[in-house]
């Protein structure tokens, strides 16, 4: 399930629901209960016991892991044009910056801004999608110095969702 997640996570809700069903069957198989029927709470508990994340959160986790590596220059990929760190205090309040100013964390420059029209076909593109999640992730997760500490705090944050 983790292969090419950056492509998979752009799928629609119905396709991701189908992948979730496959993961549910895999959990039953791993637990030796192929005919069992789990409630949502039981299913999530079994995932936690197996140290797994639900599909949507797994996709988000892997997307944010790659973005962390990009931002910290651990992979030879750079941010595309139009995506950069934002200093909210330097933005002038206009209709085009309204969401940027109201959605970003004032305390740091770890927020990333995207210069694009809201009707762009690229809004589900990896960078646009992941930047949105990055900015929603708590500051204490984003500020981690090492990849391992970032991944640990990110996993704990996603499990609480």
């Amino acid at each position: 399930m983790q292969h090419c997640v950056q492509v998979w996570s752009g799928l629609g809700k119905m396709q991701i629901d189908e992948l979730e069903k496959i993961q549910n069957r895999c959990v039953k198989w791993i637990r030796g209960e192929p005919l069992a029927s789990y409630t949502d709470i039981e299913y999530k508990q079994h995932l936690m016991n197996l140290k797994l994340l639900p599909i949507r959160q797994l996709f988000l986790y892997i997307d944010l892991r790659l973005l962390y590596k990009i931002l910290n220059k651990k992979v030879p990929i750079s941010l595309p044009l139009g995506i950069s760190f934002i200093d909210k205090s330097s933005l002038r309040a206009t209709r085009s910056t309204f969401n940027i100013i109201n959605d970003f964390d004032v305390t740091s420059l770890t927020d990333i801004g995207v210069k694009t029209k809201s009707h762009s076909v690229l809004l589900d593109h990896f960078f646009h999608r992941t930047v949105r999640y990055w900015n929603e992730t708590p500051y204490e997760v984003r500020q981690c110095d090492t990849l391992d500490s970032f991944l640990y705090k990110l996993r704990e944050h996603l499990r609480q969702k």
Side-chain angles (χ1 to χ4, degrees):
M1 292 285 201
Q2 294 185 21
H3 183 68
C4 294
V5 166
Q6 287 73 29
V7 175
W8 290 77
S9 57
L11 293 175
K13 181 183 178 339
M14 286 179 36
Q15 291 91 358
I16 292 178
D17 288 344
E18 290 299 315
L19 290 173
E20 192 75 47
K21 289 178 188 176
I22 292 169
Q23 185 181 37
N24 192 333
R25 280 185 243 142
C26 291
V27 167
K28 292 176 186 178
W29 180 77
I30 290 169
R31 294 182 43 80
E33 305 171 330
L35 302 176
S37 178
Y38 300 144
T39 65
D40 286 342
I41 295 170
E42 290 173 327
Y43 171 62
K44 288 183 180 179
Q45 186 61 46
H46 293 316
L47 284 175
M48 284 182 67
N49 292 342
L50 294 168
K51 297 185 175 153
L52 298 173
L53 291 168
I55 291 295
R56 284 178 183 83
Q57 291 175 336
L58 175 66
F59 289 174
L60 179 56
Y61 175 83
I62 294 171
D63 279 351
L64 289 172
R65 178 181 67 190
L66 179 58
L67 186 61
Y68 179 90
K69 288 179 179 180
I70 292 168
L71 295 174
N72 290 284
K73 301 182 180 359
K74 306 236 183 252
V75 292
I77 301 171
S78 58
L79 291 175
L81 293 176
I83 297 179
S84 60
F85 286 104
I86 285 191
D87 177 3
K88 181 172 136 175
S89 63
S90 68
L91 292 176
R92 199 171 54 115
T94 66
R95 282 181 283 176
S96 65
T97 62
F98 179 78
N99 288 334
I100 293 172
I101 291 173
N102 290 319
D103 291 343
F104 292 130
D105 183 357
V106 166
T107 60
S108 72
L109 291 177
T110 60
D111 287 318
I112 304 170
V114 179
K115 293 178 185 174
T116 185
K117 302 283 186 203
S118 61
H119 62 276
S120 172
V121 294
L122 295 177
L123 285 179
D124 234 13
H125 179 270
F126 169 77
F127 282 105
H128 294 271
R129 175 183 74 238
T130 309
V131 162
R132 192 170 52 239
Y133 296 132
W134 177 266
N135 291 332
E136 292 171 2
T137 303
Y139 174 71
E140 56 273 1
V141 175
R142 292 182 281 158
Q143 73 171 355
C144 291
D145 292 333
T146 66
L147 179 62
D148 289 338
S149 63
F150 172 75
L151 295 176
Y152 176 79
K153 287 182 179 183
L154 179 61
R155 184 175 286 275
E156 292 306 309
H157 168 69
L158 291 174
R159 283 190 176 170
Q160 293 173 5
K161 277 185 145 186

